[in-house]
Amino acid sequence: MKLRTILTTGSAASAIVLAFATAVPAFAQDTTPAEEEATPATDDASTIIVTGSRSTTRTVENSPVPVDVLSAEAITEGGQVETNKILNKLVPSFNFPQPAISDGSDALRPATLRGLSPDQTLVLVNGKRRHTAALLNINGTVGRGSAAVDMNSIPALAIKSIEVLRDGASSQYGSDAIAGVINIRLQDASEGGKAVASYGKYDTTLDGVSKVTGLQVNAAGQPIIDPTDSRYFLANTSGELHVRDGETYTLASNFGLPFFGTEGGYLNLTAEYRHRSRTNRTGFDLRPNYVKSGALFDPRELTFDRREFRFGDPTADDFSLFLNAAYPLGDFEIYTFASFNQRDSVSAANYRGENNANNVDYSVLAPNQPPPGSFTRAVLYPDGFLPLIKSDLTDYSYTAGLRGDVSGWNADLSVGFGQNQFDYQTLNSINASFGPASQTNFDAGGLKYSQGLVNLDMSHDFDFGFAKPVTFALGAEYRNERYQIRPGDFQSYALGPLFRAAVPNTTLANCTALGGRYGSVAATTCDFPGRAGGAGAQGFPGLPASAATDADRHNLAGYAELDADPIPGLSTTLAGRFEHYSDFGNTVTGKFAARYEIVPGYAVRGSISNGFRAPSLHQQVFTTTSTNFIAGVPVDVLTAPVSSPVARALGAKDLKPEKSVNISGGVTANPLAGLSLTVDYYNIKIKDRIVLTENLGASTSTADAAIRAYLASVGSTVTAARFFINGLDSRTQGVDAVMNWRLPLGGLGKFVLTAAYNYNKNKILKRNNTLGPLASIPGVVLFGRTESLRFEKGQPKDKIVLSLDGDISSFGFTARTTRYGKVLSPGSTLPAAPNQASFTAPGPDDVTLSPKWITDLELRYDLGEKYHLAIGADNVFDVYPDRLPFGNRPTSLGGQYPQNNQYNAYSIFSPFGFNGRFLYGRIGVDF
């Protein structure tokens, strides 16, 4: 039987025609009764879609824009259970790096489409806009400065299929749809169900990481320092390090029931519990951990556990509930879907050694007394400490609506609400400026984002004598957003009594009266080495009281769309949208797309559109303060809202929406039965991209010193800040190619061969370095070298996915191999003279990660009609990204590589992570 899956990525209006024509319950996601199965990756050419179009007759074959369709089988097969990891394996233009030691980004990792920002892809569930997460990614990861949708909160078993529209679609769906649209369709069966249990674990050998069996010692039993690099001890090793960790198990069930026994009604529920133990891909840290006594090392150096860092996936416990339901009511249908997700995650910050300045117990020292250099000095943690960051993420949403025929128009009215809350705790830590009086566990504050929606969508087919009826759709949307910041415990961010700032330009007599030390830092400066405790909870300082925020905004939108086939073989879409935002005003977008079949089975297609992305509330109002120490002096670095006095003093302006122009063109071919091929070129120019500035005033450079002096001159108590700006114009261009070949084997089964390729290149066309009041200070840069390289080269240049799926009688298999192209992992060290100011010249610590092939295998067996068994291996050949260089740089470069490269061996920019081989098994039961 021919598969005819009804896809409805798009507005509610377009789906209503399908819903009533087929009498199936789920809005924007229904299937014809003839549906049998979905192809594991990209569906066959006859699949009916309305992705990117509101016509009810569009198919994958005649769509004027490229659409990927991922089936439930493809989503639930394989060892990965996180939606973002699944998409990373199946969609070539999708990128999901997996950073570590990145604070909240460890628990909620951002993903990208076509190399653009995570917030430039619109995510829908059942055709309705999904709310974004409360977390704003402000660390040094891909997606810095963005807030994305947490797709990992949606369990795989709840998903019927995923449609990925790879084209600009702001005129059809609104803000954020610059890179494209991802629509997640929920299961809608009214009977039967499935229960699945899976278990897996990493069994891997860390490439290039030696297993240390002990330190080398001299005749006196003292550890030996490496004569070529005095930062490290010499060690005895035995091959490469082998680990087994990351135990993961999932218990999930999905089932459907007739809603109150009505024909056409359904109640579909999914519940999932997922546990993931942490992984650790750190090597052995060979730096001294303890303070020396004179020339002698502490004897504890010989027994200290040198894998004290944690570098990998955090421990996580996820619980999810999803509901999808519909109830016929005369000529109308009431529908609803809702979700709840609770995720508790524990990740790690950087380890603080016993010899760390913030491990000293300053309470036992006089203000002028430096910490003693001896084994017996007073410390807060005897061996040092590893701060832990616990995140408590609560996410829920619900949507309810009524759809039916109103005077010949298919109408849909819906309301929805979604909220994401992210609360932090810092554990096993200390605020050194409070000494022994400090807490060790802190409530570090929290973030909350919520979104309310009201949608009205209508559509009608008109017969004007064209090849097919003309679909006219129109609709309106009201959206309200709210963003809140809750401060943490006082000690989580405060500067306590065991810190005193140095007093410059004073006298010996005054310094003596203050109890300080005179002339050690500078001739007329009084400093306090016995009062040098760092501020805030180590590892993750809390959100300060000054960060308390409660802001909201609203917008109103209206759209119209025409879908027509004027003559046989020619398909067209014309769309326009108007939006009004309460915080920045109005925007208008439009789109035209067309496809022409030159001869049967061969066609050309293309589109042109303009789009926009509204500055998120996060980017406009997020604020926090952290304390950095510059030459022993605390410098408060403020992440400032653009409307704040500090940001205004530094030249900040109100954020404008990002605006894009998208052009695409391609060809489609169906040369044989079951064989389809599409090739599409895209060119996306974006103006006024929103980025986070550098930390202005937060270093020892001459420019930053001048910025601090300027801030003081205007009466600011903040000495350094960063804020969001419309900082870049960019161009993203590339090519997507997808081949799908279905090979039936008569009554025995089938093979499906899929080959997909993406080439992608980001380029900064223009920088906004309008400095305003800072223009008189030489060397000030708003968006610097490291961020520029990350922006242009921090994601794969290309990606290839080759897969073969087979089902023969009771057996099935999947063999997939993915090639991730080269990625640049930028270092912070500037290039050598005369290129220090260059944004593109290579620096001595920049590392190019070479292309890698990652291969996954799975074998399946159906034990009767109800029981299904599977075993498999992801990354079966245990491939790792290139090991980061450490020790001394080549003579031509001079100096030394960053010390953390020795023990944290892999870059967080690796597009496939760095966990190695994952072995798993799965059992499913149908009922």
Side-chain angles (χ1 to χ4, degrees):
M1 299 173 69
K2 191 75 132 182
L3 170 67
R4 293 179 58 80
T5 305
I6 306 299
L7 305 177
T8 57
T9 306
S11 95
S14 57
I16 295 171
V17 177
L18 298 177
F20 282 90
T22 58
V24 248
F27 162 69
Q29 58 173 17
D30 303 312
T31 58
T32 67
E35 181 178 29
E36 289 182 336
E37 57 185 304
T39 305
T42 303
D43 221 327
D44 70 353
S46 64
T47 299
I48 297 176
I49 64 168
V50 291
T51 307
S53 168
R54 293 182 167 87
S55 169
T56 62
T57 59
R58 291 285 180 254
T59 67
V60 170
E61 180 182 22
N62 65 26
S63 172
V65 291
V67 181
D68 295 324
V69 182
L70 308 180
S71 70
E73 287 84 354
I75 295 164
T76 55
E77 292 170 357
Q80 300 301 332
V81 292
E82 297 178 17
T83 302
N84 275 328
K85 287 185 178 181
I86 294 167
L87 287 170
N88 195 35
K89 288 180 174 293
L90 297 178
V91 180
S93 56
F94 191 86
N95 183 39
F96 183 56
Q98 292 137 58
I101 313 184
S102 301
D103 297 341
S105 298
D106 286 7
L108 206 162
R109 291 162 166 166
T112 69
L113 186 66
R114 285 185 162 177
L116 296 177
S117 178
D119 54 13
Q120 290 170 334
T121 299
L122 177 62
V123 177
L124 310 173
V125 173
N126 282 356
K128 304 292 186 179
R129 177 184 289 266
R130 181 76 171 176
H131 59 279
T132 59
L135 177 69
L136 183 66
N137 296 289
I138 58 173
N139 296 297
T141 65
V142 170
R144 181 175 184 261
S146 67
V149 173
D150 181 16
M151 287 192 288
N152 283 342
S153 66
I154 305 174
L157 202 61
I159 300 173
K160 185 174 184 178
S161 69
I162 300 176
E163 309 98 47
V164 182
L165 165 64
R166 295 179 277 112
D167 193 55
S170 293
S171 61
Q172 296 164 295
Y173 310 120
S175 176
D176 308 348
I178 291 177
V181 178
I182 296 175
N183 185 47
I184 298 175
R185 302 168 49 214
L186 299 179
Q187 294 281 3
D188 61 2
S190 60
E191 61 182 10
K194 176 183 287 188
V196 176
S198 65
Y199 175 84
K201 194 171 188 177
Y202 288 96
D203 188 323
T204 182
T205 300
L206 279 63
D207 187 20
V209 176
S210 298
K211 179 181 179 181
V212 171
T213 57
L215 300 182
Q216 296 184 21
V217 297
N218 58 23
Q222 282 280 293
I224 302 173
I225 288 292
D226 187 340
T228 65
D229 191 339
S230 60
R231 296 175 296 175
Y232 309 118
F233 290 124
L234 289 177
N236 299 311
T237 61
S238 176
E240 292 182 319
L241 179 63
H242 185 88
V243 297
R244 295 182 178 90
D245 61 8
E247 179 182 64
T248 301
Y249 56 85
T250 301
L251 302 172
S253 180
N254 168 268
F255 62 91
L257 299 170
F259 203 153
F260 294 109
T262 58
E263 183 178 353
Y266 67 90
L267 175 67
N268 193 278
L269 294 169
T270 304
E272 180 183 85
Y273 172 72
R274 182 170 69 233
H275 169 80
R276 182 186 65 204
S277 298
R278 63 181 175 87
T279 63
N280 190 9
R281 296 298 172 265
T282 189
F284 292 81
D285 181 2
L286 297 179
R287 298 173 303 165
N289 184 66
Y290 300 90
V291 168
K292 295 170 65 177
S293 285
L296 296 178
F297 288 105
D298 193 310
R300 291 175 292 175
E301 297 283 11
L302 300 178
T303 57
F304 177 65
D305 180 2
R306 298 195 172 274
R307 293 195 73 216
E308 75 276 34
F309 275 80
R310 293 187 193 174
F311 188 63
D313 288 344
T315 299
D317 287 280
D318 266 273
F319 176 71
S320 299
L321 285 172
F322 266 73
L323 174 147
N324 193 23
Y327 180 75
L329 189 66
D331 293 334
F332 289 86
E333 183 177 59
I334 301 172
Y335 65 89
T336 186
F337 51 94
S339 67
F340 173 82
N341 174 254
Q342 176 67 44
R343 180 183 308 150
D344 296 324
S345 179
V346 180
S347 59
N350 286 301
Y351 191 84
R352 270 69 171 166
E354 186 272 350
N355 55 15
N356 189 287
N358 285 313
N359 190 38
V360 173
D361 182 359
Y362 291 100
S363 68
V364 302
L365 303 177
N368 65 351
Q369 180 185 355
S374 67
F375 300 161
T376 58
R377 71 175 187 163
V379 295
L380 300 169
Y381 285 89
D383 297 306
F385 61 103
L386 180 68
L388 301 176
I389 304 168
K390 184 178 186 298
S391 58
D392 180 353
L393 191 155
T394 303
D395 186 288
Y396 68 89
S397 68
Y398 55 84
T399 298
L402 178 69
R403 56 179 170 239
D405 184 278
V406 178
S407 301
W409 286 75
N410 294 290
D412 183 289
L413 176 65
S414 65
V415 295
F417 180 82
Q419 180 172 287
N420 182 275
Q421 183 171 332
F422 204 103
D423 292 306
Y424 295 100
Q425 294 181 57
T426 307
L427 310 177
N428 194 48
S429 184
I430 203 81
N431 183 330
S433 65
F434 285 89
S438 171
Q439 303 168 215
T440 56
N441 296 329
F442 304 83
D443 175 0
L447 311 170
K448 184 187 294 184
Y449 172 82
S450 59
Q451 169 190 279
L453 284 174
V454 179
N455 285 97
L456 175 63
D457 300 284
M458 303 184 72
S459 67
H460 193 287
D461 286 354
F462 296 92
D463 191 352
F464 294 131
F466 290 169
K468 293 181 181 179
V470 176
T471 299
F472 176 62
L474 73 164
E477 177 182 273
Y478 172 81
R479 184 164 82 251
N480 181 269
E481 300 172 84
R482 186 180 183 187
Y483 190 70
Q484 298 167 277
I485 301 176
R486 177 182 63 82
D489 293 336
F490 175 73
Q491 284 195 1
S492 72
Y493 60 84
L495 190 61
L498 296 180
F499 177 85
R500 291 178 66 179
V503 179
N505 304 318
T506 189
T507 63
L508 174 60
N510 187 52
C511 186
T512 301
L514 293 173
R517 183 180 64 172
Y518 191 70
S520 294
V521 175
T524 60
T525 296
C526 181
D527 73 318
F528 306 91
R531 294 293 180 267
Q538 290 297 301
F540 188 82
L543 296 164
S546 60
T549 299
D550 190 346
D552 64 1
R553 73 172 177 190
H554 64 269
N555 84 298
L556 185 64
Y559 74 87
E561 181 181 314
L562 281 172
D563 291 277
D565 289 12
I567 59 175
L570 177 62
S571 304
T572 62
T573 298
L574 179 65
R577 190 180 189 94
F578 169 83
E579 299 221 14
H580 170 75
Y581 279 78
S582 60
D583 50 352
F584 68 79
N586 305 329
T587 184
V588 178
T589 55
K591 178 176 182 176
F592 176 74
R595 176 189 179 276
Y596 181 64
E597 190 168 20
I598 304 170
V599 295
Y602 297 86
V604 294
R605 65 184 180 187
S607 70
I608 182 169
S609 64
N610 69 318
F612 80 104
R613 189 190 72 81
S616 68
L617 269 182
H618 312 57
Q619 292 170 328
Q620 296 187 81
V621 304
F622 179 81
T623 179
T624 190
T625 302
S626 59
T627 302
N628 292 0
F629 288 84
I630 301 176
V633 176
V635 174
D636 288 338
V637 181
L638 174 67
T639 302
V642 293
S643 60
S644 69
V646 172
R648 293 299 196 195
L650 293 171
K653 298 179 180 178
D654 291 344
L655 295 176
K656 299 181 289 185
E658 301 172 338
K659 295 188 176 181
S660 69
V661 175
N662 294 49
I663 300 173
S664 69
V667 295
T668 68
N670 298 98
L672 300 171
L675 175 62
S676 64
L677 173 67
T678 64
V679 180
D680 293 277
Y681 165 80
Y682 56 89
N683 188 307
I684 307 169
K685 289 186 177 180
I686 306 176
K687 184 179 180 181
D688 295 325
R689 290 189 68 159
I690 299 171
V691 296
L692 190 60
T693 69
E694 303 296 314
N695 292 340
L696 303 175
S699 77
T700 57
S701 70
T702 302
D704 277 349
I707 291 173
R708 291 194 294 274
Y710 165 73
L711 287 171
S713 71
V714 296
S716 174
T717 58
V718 174
T719 48
R722 59 183 180 180
F723 48 91
F724 284 94
I725 59 171
N726 292 104
L728 303 175
D729 293 352
S730 70
R731 180 182 65 216
T732 299
Q733 60 180 333
V735 175
D736 286 318
V738 179
M739 184 199 75
N740 189 55
W741 197 358
R742 302 169 61 90
L743 300 171
L745 301 177
L748 295 177
K750 71 176 189 309
F751 284 126
V752 179
L753 174 65
T754 301
Y757 171 77
N758 171 257
Y759 170 84
N760 194 81
K761 184 176 182 180
N762 283 313
K763 184 176 178 59
I764 296 173
L765 300 177
K766 180 183 177 182
R767 300 170 188 273
N768 173 14
N769 209 46
T770 305
L771 300 175
L774 304 182
S776 61
I777 302 174
V780 177
V781 175
L782 296 181
F783 191 74
R785 173 187 175 276
T786 300
E787 293 304 319
S788 296
L789 290 175
R790 179 181 295 129
F791 185 92
E792 290 190 330
K793 300 181 179 181
Q795 300 190 68
K797 185 176 181 179
D798 53 19
K799 185 176 174 183
I800 301 171
V801 179
L802 304 175
S803 67
L804 177 63
D805 287 86
D807 288 297
I808 303 174
S809 186
S810 297
F811 292 90
F813 70 89
T814 297
R816 179 184 301 109
T817 187
T818 304
R819 180 190 183 274
Y820 297 89
K822 68 179 181 180
V823 171
L824 180 69
S825 179
S828 58
T829 306
L830 295 176
N835 297 315
Q836 293 97 328
S838 171
F839 290 109
T840 57
D845 297 329
D846 297 347
V847 176
T848 297
L849 307 179
S850 61
K852 299 288 183 178
W853 287 92
I854 307 299
T855 302
D856 308 325
L857 297 174
E858 179 175 285
L859 299 176
R860 298 180 292 275
Y861 178 68
D862 294 338
L863 190 62
E865 296 183 356
K866 291 186 176 182
Y867 301 97
H868 313 281
L869 307 176
I871 59 172
D874 286 350
N875 193 359
V876 65
F877 298 118
D878 205 18
V879 176
Y880 274 84
D882 297 335
R883 199 219 191 283
L884 296 176
F886 64 98
N888 295 314
R889 299 192 192 113
T891 305
S892 59
L893 296 176
Q896 298 171 316
Y897 288 110
Q899 63 179 356
N900 58 303
N901 286 9
Q902 184 268 321
Y903 47 89
N904 288 341
Y906 309 114
S907 170
I908 64 172
F909 291 92
S910 168
F912 56 90
F914 42 83
N915 274 324
R917 181 195 298 114
F918 183 74
L919 306 176
Y920 65 90
R922 184 177 67 249
I923 182 170
V925 180
D926 294 336
F927 53 86

